[in-house]
């Protein structure tokens, strides 16, 4: 993969030795501890998503003592480097075993442009091989403006197989809120489930590309050697809309170094469940140590970001480039802070959010709760890709003979197209017209040139360095000694740094 990495790195926003929760009152918290409803050491965060002033965090119920599987951190609250989690939409809304109004185990979640939160409840408790199916797989969708669940959909029996394990969601948003599809990757059942909001119906695709690669089932992460040889389709993301009105869904099995793709024109059509084998395509191979579990694509530039779990890194790829190792960039790598970057998301302001959780250590060994185990980072997308193969390049276009002085900025419409190997997409750049010659008597400027310039960079509202969390001590409330009035985006020099 590309050896040139970005100059601006991910910045640590939150970190924990161990997770904890806010309760309505101290009495209910004490009751939870005594009853085994709260065991902080059993909690592992796996998924994140950001909407306005909420940063959502999912915690699967792999072990006992998880009060809520769907949670959030208020970003407009006084800053705490290791905040307690708040159940979403409420503690009662996360009741274990309540199939109608509760949530059992949630992995990854997605927010759409209509302020809806898409949450898949697997209905399970425990971790393989000790898994109990308490409730059926159900899709729960919340109105984030009211914090109310507006739909619950139970997958059809035909969509689920005995080995089904769904851990990822990708959204395909059309021109209206009703024209929204969701896609779910069945990692261990080797399937892809499509769901239509408008039809309120789901259907299942099967394909050989959903299967694991038996040649790359050996993993080495955080000093542990283990084998995940059965894990199939996992990371999925949708591209920007193409000129044909459809997106491309990119996907990769976990036990694989290969990326595949299919047009959402196929996935949106239930009749294509059969007879569409040739519509699924091989995009390319990332190269050695290229396992990935989570990916997301920028709507504006068509740049895909994904975790590289073998390398403790975040990778990138521009969809207008061939998918091969020379065109895979690394935007950040951290052999301590990014041990198993479990989830990666892009918010409305084009900031990249990354969670790392040391999952293999949690599953295959034992976490050290005197050390920082879980971290959340963010950074502006445009800053991360600077000086990588993914950076949009300034290109010189042929000169124009003349133009009117009033034409200071020219927006080409339609924009030129580029080929991503699967379909044709609109280029995301804007065009600016610059003068290189004096005005003539006719009022025209000669020897002018047009330069294609990258999209302007977004500004991050968080501007602070990575820091260490306070060492965990059993029984303490994990509250920081930070000034309670400091907002999340306080300026450099107004914070304390805790050292062990």
């Amino acid at each position: 993969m590309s050896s040139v990495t970005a100059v601006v790195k991910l910045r640590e926003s939150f970190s924990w030795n161990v997770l904890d929760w806010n309760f309505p009152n101290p009495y209910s918290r004490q009751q939870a501890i005594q009853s085994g409803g709260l065991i902080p050491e059993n909690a592992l965060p796996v998924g994140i998503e950001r909407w306005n002033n909420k940063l959502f965090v999912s915690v699967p119920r792999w072990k006992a003592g998880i009060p809520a599987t769907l949670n959030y951190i208020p970003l407009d609250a006084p800053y705490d480097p290791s905040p307690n989690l708040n159940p979403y939409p409420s503690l009662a809304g996360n009741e274990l075993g309540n199939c109608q109004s509760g949530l059992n185990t949630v992995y990854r979640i997605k927010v759409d442009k209509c302020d809806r939160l898409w949450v898949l409840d697997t209905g399970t408790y425990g971790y393989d091989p000790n898994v109990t199916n308490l409730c059926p797989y159900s899709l729960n969708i919340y109105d984030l403006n009211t914090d109310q669940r507006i739909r619950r959909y139970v997958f059809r029996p035909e969509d689920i197989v005995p080995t089904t394990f769904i851990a990822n969601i990708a959204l395909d948003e059309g021109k209206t809120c009703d024209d929204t599809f969701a896609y779910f990757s069945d990692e261990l059942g080797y399937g892809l489930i499509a769901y239509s909001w408008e039809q309120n119906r789901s259907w299942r695709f099967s394909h050989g590309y959903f299967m694991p690669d038996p040649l790359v089932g050996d993993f080495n992460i955080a000093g542990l050697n283990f084998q995940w040889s059965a894990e199939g389709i996992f990371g999925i993301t949708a591209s920007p809309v193409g000129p044909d009105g459809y997106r491309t869904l990119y996907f990769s099995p976990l036990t694989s170094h290969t990326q595949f793709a299919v047009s959402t024109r196929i996935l949106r059509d239930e009749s294509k469940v059969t007879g569409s084998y040739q519509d699924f395509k091989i995009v390319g191979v990332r190269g050695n140590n290229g396992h990935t579990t989570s990916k997301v694509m920028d709507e504006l530039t068509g740049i895909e970001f994904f975790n590289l779990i073998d390398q403790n890194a975040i990778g990138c790829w521009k969809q207008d480039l061939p998918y091969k190792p020379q065109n895979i960039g690394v935007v950040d790598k951290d052999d301590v802070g990014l041990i198993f970057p479990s989830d990666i998301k892009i918010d409305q302001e084009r900031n990249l959010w990354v969670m790392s959780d040391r999952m293999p250590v949690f599953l295959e060994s034992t976490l050290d709760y005197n050390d920082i185990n879980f971290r959340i980072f963010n950074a502006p997308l445009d800053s991360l890709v600077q000086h990588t193969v993914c950076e949009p390049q300034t290109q010189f276009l042929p000169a124009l003979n003349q133009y009117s002085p009033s034409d200071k900025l020219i927006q080409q419409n339609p924009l030129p197209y580029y080929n991503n190997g699967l379909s044709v997409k609109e280029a995301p750049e804007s065009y600016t017209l610059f003068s290189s010659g004096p005005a003539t008597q006719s009022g025209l400027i000669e020897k002018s040139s047009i330069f294609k310039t990258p999209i302007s960079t977004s500004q991050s509202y968080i501007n602070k360095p990575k820091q260490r969390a306070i060492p965990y001590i059993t029984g303490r409330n994990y509250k920081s000694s930070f000034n309670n009035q400091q907002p999340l985006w306080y300026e450099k020099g107004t914070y304390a740094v805790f050292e062990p």
Side-chain angles (χ1 to χ4, degrees):
M1 298 184 184
S2 173
S3 60
V4 180
T5 57
V7 173
V8 178
K9 301 293 185 180
L10 292 164
R11 292 188 285 267
E12 187 174 290
S13 303
F14 304 105
S15 60
W16 297 264
N17 303 81
V18 65
L19 294 181
D20 202 350
W21 275 261
N22 285 320
F23 283 79
N25 53 66
Y27 176 72
S28 60
R29 174 187 171 80
Q30 188 61 33
Q31 273 192 320
I33 293 174
Q34 292 176 352
S35 66
L38 173 61
I39 307 175
E41 294 84 354
N42 283 355
L44 181 85
V46 300
I48 56 170
E49 179 67 297
R50 187 224 166 179
W51 176 81
N52 290 357
N53 64 347
K54 286 185 173 70
L55 182 65
F56 292 95
V57 177
S58 63
V59 183
R61 284 189 166 112
W62 282 341
K63 299 181 181 180
I66 311 301
T69 184
L70 180 60
N71 311 273
Y72 74 95
I73 300 167
L75 297 179
D76 55 356
Y79 179 70
D80 184 343
S82 305
N84 287 351
L85 302 181
N86 299 281
Y88 187 88
S90 64
L91 193 59
N94 280 266
E95 183 181 356
L96 181 66
N98 186 333
C99 298
Q100 295 303 315
S101 60
L103 294 170
N104 297 277
T105 285
V106 171
Y107 290 98
R108 288 166 184 84
I109 50 187
K110 288 287 288 185
V111 169
D112 68 15
K113 296 176 182 177
C114 300
D115 295 336
R116 296 176 300 198
L117 179 66
W118 296 65
V119 179
L120 181 71
D121 180 13
T122 65
T124 59
Y125 171 75
Y127 183 75
D128 185 60
N130 301 310
V131 177
T132 301
N133 290 89
L134 302 175
C135 302
Y137 273 90
S138 66
L139 176 60
N140 299 264
I141 303 172
Y142 298 85
D143 182 342
L144 290 168
N145 292 303
T146 64
D147 297 329
Q148 299 296 312
R149 190 178 70 181
I150 56 177
R151 180 174 292 185
R152 178 176 182 265
Y153 175 83
V154 176
F155 285 115
R156 304 178 307 155
E158 302 96 307
D159 299 329
I160 305 299
V161 299
T163 56
T164 287
F165 177 81
I166 301 173
N168 259 316
I169 303 176
L171 294 182
D172 173 16
E173 301 177 62
K175 294 181 180 180
T176 67
C177 294
D178 286 338
D179 184 26
T180 303
F181 286 75
Y183 308 114
F184 306 87
S185 56
D186 185 350
E187 176 194 3
L188 298 180
Y190 312 134
L192 182 66
I193 301 172
Y195 168 81
S196 165
W197 169 274
E198 188 170 23
Q199 300 176 45
N200 195 28
R201 180 174 172 81
S202 57
W203 48 89
R204 180 186 178 94
F205 287 84
S206 298
H207 201 282
Y209 292 165
F210 302 160
M211 305 291 287
D213 181 347
L215 301 180
V216 294
D218 194 49
F219 290 74
N220 289 277
I221 301 174
L224 296 173
N225 176 239
F226 54 93
Q227 289 73 46
W228 285 347
S229 56
E231 278 68 17
I233 179 174
F234 205 113
I236 54 176
T237 189
S239 75
V241 176
D244 62 354
Y246 296 98
R247 302 176 188 270
T248 296
L249 186 79
Y250 294 104
F251 63 91
S252 298
L254 170 53
T255 305
S256 175
H257 295 158
T258 305
Q259 174 141 294
F260 303 92
V262 62
S263 170
T264 58
R265 178 182 61 84
I266 303 300
L267 301 180
R268 282 171 166 248
D269 187 350
E270 186 178 359
S271 70
K272 298 291 187 181
V273 166
T274 59
S276 61
Y277 188 91
Q278 300 296 331
D279 294 300
F280 290 77
K281 308 295 182 182
I282 298 175
V283 183
V285 179
R286 287 178 293 278
N288 293 332
N289 295 322
H291 297 110
T292 183
T293 66
S294 182
K295 58 185 64 183
V296 63
M297 184 165 278
D298 180 30
E299 183 79 12
L300 188 61
T301 63
I303 298 175
E304 181 184 276
F305 296 87
F306 47 91
N307 59 355
L308 291 166
I309 59 176
D310 310 89
Q311 303 182 45
N312 305 323
I314 303 299
C316 67
W317 167 67
K318 289 173 60 180
Q319 69 167 351
D320 58 334
L321 296 177
Y323 197 90
K324 56 185 180 181
Q326 300 94 306
N327 294 326
I328 303 295
V330 174
V331 301
D332 200 357
K333 176 178 172 63
D334 186 336
D335 290 332
V336 175
L338 286 176
I339 295 178
F340 206 88
S342 63
D343 200 9
I344 179 170
K345 294 290 173 58
I346 297 173
D347 67 17
Q348 306 95 319
E349 294 157 8
R350 299 185 64 243
N351 294 300
L352 190 74
W353 292 81
V354 176
M355 169 179 282
S356 67
D357 64 8
R358 300 187 175 182
M359 186 186 297
V361 182
F362 180 85
L363 296 177
E364 307 291 336
S365 183
T366 303
L367 291 173
D368 177 3
Y369 292 106
N370 291 313
D371 195 6
I372 297 176
N373 293 302
F374 319 126
R375 293 174 168 89
I376 294 176
F377 304 88
N378 85 52
L381 297 189
D382 297 317
S383 299
L384 281 172
V385 298
Q386 287 180 5
H387 309 301
T388 73
V389 69
C390 304
E391 182 178 17
Q393 299 298 311
T394 299
Q395 299 179 17
F396 179 80
L397 298 182
L400 297 179
N401 291 328
Q402 56 186 17
Y403 73 98
S404 170
S406 63
D407 294 334
K408 300 301 181 184
L409 179 66
I410 295 179
Q411 175 69 46
Q412 304 293 333
N413 189 22
L415 293 173
Y417 292 96
Y418 61 87
N419 193 328
N420 68 2
L422 293 167
S423 60
V424 177
K425 303 293 239 180
E426 249 188 10
E429 295 86 354
S430 61
Y431 286 79
T432 308
L433 197 57
F434 296 93
S435 169
S436 61
T440 64
Q441 293 180 353
S442 63
L444 299 177
I445 297 176
E446 299 178 349
K447 299 182 180 178
S448 302
S449 301
I450 296 179
F451 291 88
K452 188 163 61 174
T453 58
I455 298 298
S456 59
T457 59
S458 62
Q459 298 298 318
S460 172
Y461 60 89
I462 294 179
N463 182 23
K464 62 188 183 65
K466 297 178 183 179
Q467 62 188 35
R468 301 187 181 185
I470 306 170
Y472 167 67
I473 302 174
T474 304
R476 76 179 189 77
N477 62 9
Y478 314 116
K479 289 301 181 182
S480 165
S481 61
F482 274 64
N483 184 333
N484 286 336
Q485 301 305 313
Q486 293 290 0
L488 183 59
W489 50 89
Y490 56 82
E491 296 297 329
K492 182 178 180 181
T494 63
Y495 54 87
V497 177
F498 295 94
E499 297 290 347

